[in-house]
Amino acid sequence: MSIKFKFSLFLTFCFINLGFLSFGQSIKEQAVWYGYFFTIPLSQKWHNVTELQERHLVRPIQQNQFMVRTRFHRNLGKNLDASTGLSLFLHHKIGKLENDDINWPEIRPHLDISLKTKLRKLTLDQRFRGEIRFFQNFDSNHTVLLDGFFFRAYRSRYRLQASILLAKPWGEKTLNLKLAEEIMGMIGGDYSKFTFDQNRISADLSLELSRNIQLELGYVYWHQARNSGGFLDQHIFRTYLRHTLDFTKNKKKAEMPAF
């Protein structure tokens, strides 16, 4: 299968989904995400990735989410990778009164597997992820957090990403374009059958600043089903700094994992 055909298939997949996303009533929001990712190589087979992200809404400017995720990756082959990890999310909930806003904690363990296909200047990355979502208990009025957590749902995620080498502006330093589509569904807990959760379509520019540092600037279209009916559409601008902290004596260039 030629590189042009595979890339055309990827774009077709994205545009078909954009067509489906245009149906149904939706609430529209704008948001900005900031993130710092650091990678620590542990051995030739293992490495750890930890992410810190702040997410806030625009108009009005207010916090939306803060998250910390750490995961351990195992190299299963030349183009195959598996990981397991845990996330902590703080979802900012706006209360009815001025002083009763709450940061609602969620704990989210996950497992995933990634398969890469390299084709000259194009790399296709497929990621399958399974998550279990636990939220802290609320009182009946949803104004006070209580001890303990409850199981919300299992969530499955499939992401297809294309990374395209655009240029090498400074010697071997690379500039890449990343195009991705991810679809998610939930079952269990609050969901008696497999239910569409959300779809994300993104485009990012990734600039290699040094051997261990990359800067990413991008846009995400987030389309999510709301529990009350209809959809939430978010237009998100994001910037990520990716940093490899290599303390090993043999400092080979580590490949940055996909976000």
Side-chain angles (χ1 to χ4, degrees):
M1 189 181 293
S2 70
I3 182 173
K4 290 184 178 180
F5 179 79
K6 287 188 175 182
F7 188 55
S8 298
L9 192 63
F10 170 78
L11 290 179
T12 302
F13 178 70
C14 292
F15 284 125
I16 289 175
N17 276 280
L18 276 174
F20 283 117
L21 297 184
S22 62
F23 295 100
Q25 295 183 345
S26 62
I27 294 176
K28 300 185 184 301
E29 294 179 343
Q30 294 81 42
V32 180
W33 293 0
Y34 313 94
Y36 173 60
F37 294 58
F38 61 91
T39 299
I40 302 177
L42 303 174
S43 70
Q44 289 186 346
K45 295 287 187 181
W46 288 90
H47 65 273
N48 171 259
V49 181
T50 299
E51 354 173 347
L52 305 171
Q53 285 193 50
E54 169 67 20
R55 303 171 175 179
H56 68 77
L57 300 178
V58 180
R59 299 180 186 175
I61 296 177
Q62 63 186 34
Q63 187 184 36
N64 185 27
Q65 291 177 330
F66 175 77
M67 63 86 72
V68 180
R69 176 186 289 123
T70 188
R71 57 188 189 269
F72 291 88
H73 288 257
R74 173 69 158 84
N75 182 6
L76 301 178
K78 184 177 180 181
N79 296 311
L80 191 62
D81 173 279
S83 79
T84 182
L86 185 72
S87 305
L88 170 64
F89 280 78
L90 297 178
H91 303 275
H92 189 69
K93 294 180 68 67
I94 305 299
K96 296 179 181 178
L97 303 178
E98 185 177 348
N99 61 348
D100 67 350
D101 291 4
I102 290 176
N103 286 318
W104 190 18
E106 176 192 357
I107 294 176
R108 191 187 298 177
H110 80 267
L111 290 168
D112 68 36
I113 189 165
S114 298
L115 175 64
K116 289 186 178 181
T117 305
K118 295 186 178 181
L119 306 161
R120 298 180 185 174
K121 294 184 178 182
L122 172 67
T123 299
L124 291 178
D125 184 352
Q126 298 182 77
R127 187 184 71 188
F128 304 86
R129 173 174 289 179
E131 300 174 325
I132 308 175
R133 308 185 68 183
F134 299 95
F135 288 82
Q136 188 165 345
N137 292 318
F138 260 134
D139 68 341
S140 57
N141 295 322
H142 281 209
T143 57
V144 178
L145 292 172
L146 304 177
D147 292 338
F149 286 75
F150 68 93
F151 167 62
R152 176 73 180 275
Y154 298 105
R155 184 162 72 174
S156 61
R157 305 170 59 160
Y158 171 70
R159 188 197 67 194
L160 177 61
Q161 177 178 277
S163 180
I164 306 159
L165 176 61
L166 298 180
K168 292 185 177 181
W170 304 301
E172 292 302 310
K173 306 297 187 296
T174 59
L175 175 64
N176 291 280
L177 172 64
K178 293 181 179 180
L179 302 173
E181 163 123 32
E182 185 171 23
I183 190 165
M184 311 179 199
M186 297 203 287
I187 193 171
D190 294 345
Y191 301 87
S192 59
K193 61 182 180 180
F194 192 74
T195 304
F196 169 79
D197 176 43
Q198 63 180 269
N199 192 195
R200 300 180 190 179
I201 297 174
S202 62
D204 298 86
L205 284 174
S206 177
L207 177 63
E208 190 176 29
L209 300 178
S210 71
R211 188 176 66 89
N212 293 327
I213 298 176
Q214 292 177 333
L215 176 65
E216 292 187 1
L217 301 172
Y219 166 79
V220 183
Y221 176 64
W222 170 316
H223 180 77
Q224 183 175 31
R226 301 174 69 238
N227 292 333
S228 57
F231 297 94
L232 170 65
D233 289 341
Q234 280 193 342
H235 299 279
I236 301 162
F237 294 92
R238 64 184 180 188
T239 178
Y240 291 155
L241 185 68
R242 300 182 184 274
H243 189 190
T244 298
L245 305 174
D246 193 350
F247 303 110
T248 60
K249 292 182 180 179
N250 182 19
K251 294 197 173 184
K252 279 188 173 182
K253 181 179 177 181
E255 182 177 355
M256 284 290 193
F259 61 88

